[in-house]
Amino acid sequence: MRSYGWLFDPKRCIECSACEAACKQWNQVETGVNVRWRRVLRQESGTFPNVQVTAVSMACNHCENAFCQKVCPVRAIWRRDDGIVLVDTDRCVGCGQCHIFCPYGAPQLNLATRKTTKCTMCFDRIEQGLAPACATVCPTGALQWGEWDAIEGRGSDRLPGMAYPRQMRPHIRFVTEPWRS
Amino acid sequence: MITRRSVLQGAGGAAVLGTLPWNEAFAEFFERSQAIPYPPESLVTACGICDSACGMRVTVKDGTIRFIQGLPEDPHNEGRLCAKGTSSAYIRNDPDRLKYPMKRTNPRKGLEEDPRWVRISWNEALDLIAEKYTEIRSKYGQEALLAISRGRPPWFARLYSALGMERVDHNDLCYGVDIVISNQTIGRHTFAWDLENAKYIVLFGWDMVARAKLSLSNRLLHAKENGARVINFNPMYTATAKFADEWHPVRPGGDLAVALAMIHVLLKENLYDRDFVSQYTNFPEYETQIREHFEKYTPEWAEKESDIPADVIRRIARQFGSTRPAVAPLHKKTLAANYENAAPLCHAIAILNILAGNIDRPGGHYFPRTFEIPGLDAIYRPPAYPKLPAKRVDGREKLPLAGGYGMFSTLADGMLNRYPGRVKFLFWNNYNLSSLPQRRMMEEALKTVEFMVLVDILPMDAMYFADVVLPSTMFLEGSDIIVREMAAKSPFAVVRQPVVGAPFEAKSAAYIAIELGKRLAPDYFRKADGSWISPSELLDEQVRRSGLGQNFADFRKKGFVAGEKPFIPATKFATASGKCQIYIPAFAAKNYDPLPNWRPKRDLPSADYPYYLITYLPAAHKRNSTQNNPVLFEIDGTPYVHIHPSTAARHGIRDGARVRVRSRAGEAVGVARLTETIRPDAVAVPHGLGHRSPWLSVAGGKGFCDNDLIPAQTIDELVQHGNWLGSGCIMDAVVAIEPAV
Ligand code: SF4
Ligand code: SF4
Ligand code: SF4
């Protein structure tokens, strides 16, 4: 069965957070409870004036071998046939094991409900033939989404400074080529 | 969406990766606009948060907005939206929204007073306003009337004109200076640069991409894709700097020195477009003066004012002069353009573009091609409007060449000191107090007003001074025809339609203006046959006369209309001489500088205030208007004060600690963010946030307002300082910092 993934080009990301806003709107994620399924992370390096900033829009990477799923004591996390990793909030007891083991900070505790929530890859949109909300609005196309088969061979599997647990096989690739090569 | 098929059809699959330049290897991923799927039942409309007015597709389910995405066919935003537009449903559904007309019952005004609002009906509210207006006008005369409002919507503009009300808007705080300079130099002010075809782009101060006016940031993105070289001067490393090939942390206010020195080099080495300059500019006429004038502005001199090495300036000038097409865009509120030296800076940048021969040429600065939509006054011709008082409260008549409407930076002084007690009737539409320099002064001024009407969608701070409050609709609830001038290379019109109804009793601006007009100036709101003019009829007429469809309903069905116009470069320019004017004779006649001279910004570091204040625009906000949006507040709600680590160490300020920023005009407390992305002699804060109204449940009392740090001005100061075009200097301050407990 076909699965999906992300392609991200950090040099195109303008740190506008449209991806995060779109995610909130489509998924009706509550505000003010410390839950941001998608977030734009920013990393500075170097010293003034030779400074560099890398921004990455990060959500769940729907890993093929998801640690979050492995460690969940009540089996509240499962991976669908199409590779989308979901949390069953009814089962979740909010123990936070998945938060510790996911290197991307994807599972987050909703402070109001004390349950874990995270990116669903907008499976409900995908089922209607639409792309996930975040990738639909990203103004520069820095964040792209598509069939994993097509993305997997592309770009690089890691960015400097980003966690890369080889065994987990996160479904994300990065365009690391400069503007002109 | 990326599919296996598209990849295989593309550059030949993964095997050739590494041998192709990235833009070919990944080309298919970035073929964007047409590939964005959207639900077929979604409605077309246009965003109303910033002037970019991006086309939108809105999915509505059971009467509520489910999702907002870009309109794929819109050439401006190419199917995408920024965070503000994407989350605008949160403004629509804000539980804090004004719901009913209300009147104050506590006569004492001020943020510490509870106005004790009482709900009234629309008729009562409108009658009360009409009664007060009539009373005040007959008692104190026309000079007692003032509108603090934009000229849009046109309905309000007509109301103010018909009632003979003086109007003030944020002209001086925004791009007023640039408009005057553009009119004098190239004949027309535009926000249009053909960046995607430019080969060399110099951005002074401008954080173009983080402003997220997508029509502009998309153009810069394409410029990069097409291999343009981008140079950015800015004391702070921004998202734009990341796009740039070179980032130069210029000293605040020093942009002008760099621009002057670039002109010096271009003239000295004759690196300008000779055909264009000799045919279409007044350079031949004033050549000796111009050459002499720029003689003194050598790169070596500029180095001392800007901290940019002379050889770097010389190299950039040479590259700019010898790469075609090259362009130096300038936009409002760049870090440079709202200093006291904004006028010569805008002038110098206009000259750079003229010398590059790029005015209305491919790859350069062009005049937008748009549909001509006849305005309200063209369709319903009004009787002659009453003459406005000669002496304005803000004193703008003292700056005869300054353009636009009014001056926020001198208004409070005018109301309190120059003409104390003159303004008795005030109509306040959709501005917020935190937009004004020294809002506390303005609050004092508002206390002297006898009767104030406020039209808004949210209970902003200004409401504490209002006598009647009218709730208005927002853009997702109204109808309009949107043609935008920003970056319009060919005509495009998109509909704005009510995707959801108005909440509670909110009414459109047209309703408010017409109802007040009927009561106070009926002749201006009647048609020839005696019936009242109507907003829906106006739209029908506008659609019909501009060829967008048979009527508004028809246009609404289409959603948008794209026009074709071949690009014929201008050969005549709308200046006094019909040519691009490097030397401005009208300025010479007024004893202003006909050519840009060096002058520093207003406030310079001193022992008491050792650091430059830099204000930046957070990408996720349209200043105070979006601060109460919970999604945007969560993305960017902390009032960060950006400080270089070495500077912070000197004052014992740690990352994440509270820090007090003081200027000669006031102080503010924020959270320190230590960063290498800023000059050690500068401190950066976000611009225009900081509400105090506790009626705003998300933003009230949060953040700080940079305008508390910005000194207000008097009109005499402007005149004395030779600030002839009236820059509001809203970024011009120096500060001290210390840990706050
Ligand atoms: S990114 Fe984290 S939450 Fe998502 S599947 Fe992988 S381990 Fe689980
Ligand atoms: S895929 Fe959907 S749920 Fe996941 S981050 Fe994007 S918008 Fe949010
Ligand atoms: S929407 Fe795109 S450009 Fe904006 S922050 Fe997200 S990934 Fe970056």
Side-chain angles (χ1 to χ4, degrees):
Chain A
M1 174 141 193
R2 144 169 101 196
S3 67
Y4 307 96
W6 308 108
L7 179 74
F8 188 78
D9 184 348
K11 80 180 164 302
R12 301 175 81 95
C13 178
I14 58 176
E15 301 160 38
C16 70
S17 300
C19 47
E20 177 173 339
C23 175
K24 278 261 149 100
Q25 165 81 62
W26 177 260
N27 295 298
Q28 315 258 301
V29 184
E30 271 177 278
T31 54
V33 290
N34 205 26
V35 174
R36 300 166 75 179
W37 290 0
R38 183 166 282 288
R39 277 161 308 155
V40 182
L41 309 173
R42 203 169 166 274
Q43 195 190 324
E44 267 178 47
S45 55
T47 53
F48 178 90
N50 300 310
V51 59
Q52 276 187 336
V53 174
T54 311
V56 186
S57 172
M58 189 56 79
C60 174
N61 293 317
H62 299 273
C63 308
E64 248 165 80
N65 190 17
F67 286 1
C68 58
Q69 181 193 13
K70 297 258 140 70
V71 301
C72 179
V74 295
R75 297 180 180 240
I77 302 181
W78 87 101
R79 189 166 186 272
R80 310 197 324 173
D81 289 347
D82 59 4
I84 296 177
V85 178
L86 295 175
V87 182
D88 181 341
T89 358
D90 287 342
R91 283 185 154 226
C92 173
V93 291
C95 72
Q97 287 296 315
C98 53
H99 311 193
I100 297 165
F101 279 86
C102 169
Y104 307 114
Q108 297 168 6
L109 189 68
N110 179 321
L111 291 179
T113 61
R114 313 298 302 177
K115 306 266 193 183
T116 286
T117 66
K118 71 163 195 66
C119 158
T120 64
M121 205 181 244
C122 291
F123 69 90
D124 49 341
R125 284 178 66 89
I126 295 175
E127 284 165 5
Q128 292 172 46
L130 302 171
C134 51
T136 299
V137 298
C138 172
T140 59
L143 176 66
Q144 306 249 352
W145 168 91
E147 291 171 18
W148 185 241
D149 272 2
I151 294 171
E152 195 179 1
R154 292 297 177 120
S156 160
D157 60 7
R158 68 192 80 190
L159 274 187
M162 197 200 84
Y164 179 72
R166 181 172 290 283
Q167 317 86 312
M168 229 164 71
R169 294 194 297 280
H171 276 197
I172 186 167
R173 286 290 181 276
F174 301 96
V175 181
T176 49
E177 278 77 1
W179 286 106
R180 277 183 290 270
S181 42
Chain B
M1 173 182 176
I2 302 164
T3 60
R4 180 139 186 87
R5 195 172 324 112
S6 73
V7 171
L8 292 177
Q9 280 169 348
V16 287
L17 239 184
T19 57
L20 283 174
W22 86 266
N23 45 344
E24 284 170 46
F26 292 94
E28 70 272 33
F29 297 143
F30 301 112
E31 280 302 328
R32 299 180 295 146
S33 51
Q34 302 309 320
I36 303 161
Y38 53 80
E41 74 280 11
S42 57
L43 299 164
V44 175
T45 194
C47 183
I49 292 185
C50 83
D51 293 339
S52 192
C54 298
M56 287 177 156
R57 277 203 169 266
V58 183
T59 314
V60 178
K61 223 172 156 185
D62 306 325
T64 57
I65 296 167
R66 185 79 177 91
F67 191 60
I68 303 183
Q69 69 187 90
L71 176 69
E73 296 85 355
D74 192 331
H76 293 252
N77 51 317
E78 302 175 1
R80 311 296 174 138
L81 287 180
C82 74
K84 297 162 283 187
T86 300
S87 65
S88 47
Y90 287 83
I91 303 180
R92 163 60 179 68
N93 299 328
D94 194 326
D96 299 338
R97 265 186 81 165
L98 297 173
K99 301 177 177 68
Y100 315 102
M102 297 189 294
K103 78 171 178 204
R104 160 190 297 270
T105 56
N106 175 3
R108 282 191 308 275
K109 294 180 178 177
L111 273 155
E112 60 294 336
E113 294 288 345
D114 176 3
R116 286 196 238 118
W117 296 113
V118 175
R119 180 179 167 184
I120 53 176
S121 74
W122 268 99
N123 269 334
E124 273 175 86
L126 296 163
D127 289 345
L128 178 63
I129 295 167
E131 183 195 314
K132 283 288 181 184
Y133 169 86
T134 315
E135 185 189 312
I136 289 171
R137 178 155 188 163
S138 61
K139 203 152 131 200
Y140 304 103
Q142 195 192 350
E143 285 200 341
L145 313 171
L146 179 70
I148 294 183
S149 171
R150 289 177 170 83
R152 268 177 290 168
W155 298 99
F156 276 139
R158 173 167 292 200
L159 182 71
Y160 308 143
S161 305
L163 299 182
M165 290 171 88
E166 182 185 312
R167 178 159 83 73
V168 177
D169 72 8
H170 63 298
N171 177 67
D172 59 329
L173 308 187
C174 209
Y175 49 93
V177 170
D178 192 19
I179 291 182
V180 180
I181 295 286
S182 299
N183 289 343
Q184 295 286 351
T185 51
I186 61 170
R188 179 167 179 196
H189 183 253
T190 87
F191 288 137
W193 303 278
D194 184 16
L195 299 179
E196 55 268 53
N197 292 312
K199 290 275 161 285
Y200 201 82
I201 300 168
V202 180
L203 296 168
F204 285 96
W206 188 2
D207 190 9
M208 185 191 235
V209 307
R211 291 298 311 278
K213 281 199 182 344
L214 289 189
S215 39
L216 302 176
S217 36
N218 277 338
R219 307 279 94 75
L220 187 63
L221 188 72
H222 298 321
K224 286 304 297 179
E225 287 166 347
N226 295 342
R229 191 164 179 85
V230 179
I231 312 296
N232 185 208
F233 294 99
N234 191 330
M236 198 179 169
Y237 184 96
T238 59
T240 301
K242 194 163 70 179
F243 272 64
D245 297 272
E246 297 175 28
W247 167 59
H248 297 287
V250 66
R251 188 192 305 165
D255 309 59
L256 173 59
V258 175
L260 293 173
M262 282 178 68
I263 301 174
H264 168 98
V265 175
L266 297 183
L267 294 174
K268 212 75 223 160
E269 308 186 3
N270 289 315
L271 289 171
Y272 52 86
D273 184 327
R274 287 203 214 169
D275 289 346
F276 185 89
V277 167
S278 62
Q279 261 191 74
Y280 301 115
T281 78
N282 67 2
F283 183 73
E285 217 177 311
Y286 296 98
E287 177 159 358
T288 335
Q289 271 145 292
I290 294 172
R291 285 191 183 276
E292 246 169 51
H293 180 88
F294 289 101
E295 196 63 41
K296 53 188 175 291
Y297 295 126
T298 61
E300 285 68 24
W301 162 82
E303 175 172 340
K304 291 197 211 86
E305 300 292 349
S306 66
D307 301 332
I308 308 295
D311 55 334
V312 171
I313 300 177
R314 193 164 270 120
R315 172 179 55 79
I316 291 172
R318 283 177 181 153
Q319 288 173 335
F320 181 84
S322 56
T323 315
R324 295 275 185 273
V327 66
L330 181 76
H331 190 248
K332 61 180 176 179
K333 287 199 192 127
T334 69
L335 288 164
N338 227 305
Y339 293 152
E340 201 170 74
N341 63 11
L345 177 67
C346 292
H347 192 172
I349 291 174
I351 294 175
L352 283 175
N353 285 316
I354 294 171
L355 291 177
N358 74 28
I359 310 301
D360 209 44
R361 297 294 182 271
H365 193 163
Y366 63 93
F367 303 126
R369 272 60 174 170
T370 61
F371 286 113
E372 298 293 333
I373 310 281
L376 174 61
D377 284 9
I379 289 177
Y380 298 126
R381 207 167 294 282
Y385 289 127
K387 247 179 82 91
L388 293 175
K391 292 217 160 113
R392 297 176 48 103
V393 162
D394 59 6
R396 194 181 56 93
E397 73 278 359
K398 297 216 165 183
L399 307 174
L401 290 187
Y405 280 93
M407 314 264 304
F408 266 0
S409 58
T410 58
L411 179 61
D413 176 65
M415 286 172 73
L416 282 171
N417 306 321
R418 214 178 161 74
Y419 299 108
R422 172 173 135 166
V423 175
K424 302 275 185 216
F425 179 95
L426 176 61
F427 195 97
W428 181 298
N429 171 36
N430 229 334
Y431 273 118
N432 192 28
L433 273 171
S434 55
S435 315
L436 291 97
Q438 296 308 305
R439 54 180 170 173
R440 286 182 172 81
M441 236 174 112
M442 193 61 203
E443 286 162 13
E444 287 312 308
L446 290 183
K447 287 184 188 165
T448 67
V449 171
E450 201 171 304
F451 189 79
M452 171 170 161
V453 184
L454 182 123
V455 181
D456 212 330
I457 59 167
L458 282 168
M460 303 289 200
D461 298 356
M463 215 170 114
Y464 279 89
F465 304 88
D467 294 276
V468 169
V469 171
L470 304 176
S472 70
T473 50
M474 49 96 67
F475 73 88
L476 291 165
E477 302 152 356
S479 297
D480 208 348
I481 305 160
I482 304 297
V483 291
R484 33 183 152 25
E485 299 210 332
M486 202 169 264
K489 252 197 273 186
S490 60
F492 189 87
V494 51
V495 73
R496 174 171 295 153
Q497 60 172 319
V499 296
V500 283
F504 300 94
E505 287 187 8
K507 299 275 189 202
S508 68
Y511 173 87
I512 297 170
I514 294 173
E515 285 304 317
L516 285 173
K518 283 181 187 172
R519 286 165 171 81
L520 293 170
D523 291 348
Y524 294 88
F525 291 85
R526 247 198 281 272
K527 288 185 284 188
D529 66 2
S531 60
W532 299 114
I533 57 182
S534 104
S536 59
E537 225 179 74
L538 174 74
L539 289 172
D540 285 345
E541 240 349 74
Q542 286 176 320
V543 167
R544 206 175 50 76
R545 291 203 203 170
S546 48
L548 297 173
Q550 284 147 15
N551 50 31
F552 190 72
D554 178 36
F555 177 51
R556 180 168 163 170
K557 223 178 316 148
K558 293 182 194 160
F560 58 90
V561 177
E564 288 290 330
K565 248 192 207 172
F567 189 93
I568 302 166
T571 50
K572 237 183 114 36
F573 300 84
T575 59
S577 60
K579 295 189 166 196
C580 293
Q581 305 192 127
I582 292 175
Y583 179 97
I584 305 179
F587 281 9
K590 277 262 175 273
N591 260 336
Y592 302 176
D593 295 338
L595 288 164
N597 264 316
W598 164 251
R599 50 182 309 162
K601 68 195 273 294
R602 182 186 61 188
D603 285 23
L604 297 170
S606 62
D608 289 343
Y609 303 108
Y611 303 111
Y612 291 99
L613 181 73
I614 296 177
T615 58
Y616 69 94
L617 296 151
H621 285 283
K622 171 86 190 300
R623 302 183 277 291
N624 47 50
S625 65
T626 54
Q627 206 191 346
N628 206 51
N629 176 330
V631 170
L632 300 181
F633 190 86
E634 200 164 78
I635 290 169
D636 198 344
T638 315
Y640 283 119
V641 179
H642 295 74
I643 311 171
H644 191 269
S646 66
T647 309
R650 197 168 327 130
H651 297 278
I653 294 164
R654 270 197 303 243
D655 194 45
R658 279 156 57 82
V659 53
R660 175 172 290 107
V661 185
R662 277 191 297 112
S663 77
R664 68 177 161 102
E667 59 173 57
V669 174
V671 178
R673 178 185 263 174
L674 305 197
T675 172
E676 296 283 346
T677 59
I678 187 169
R679 282 173 64 102
D681 59 357
V683 165
V685 299
H687 171 64
L689 305 173
H691 295 275
R692 282 178 293 157
S693 163
W695 299 319
L696 294 169
S697 52
V698 174
K702 312 255 180 60
F704 67 59
C705 180
D706 63 318
N707 275 322
D708 289 341
L709 299 167
I710 309 292
Q713 312 192 85
T714 66
I715 197 77
D716 296 334
E717 245 162 45
L718 289 169
V719 173
Q720 262 165 30
H721 292 194
N723 188 353
W724 305 113
L725 303 189
S727 161
C729 300
I730 49 159
M731 296 176 176
D732 214 336
V734 286
V735 295
I737 51 173
E738 66 207 15
V741 274

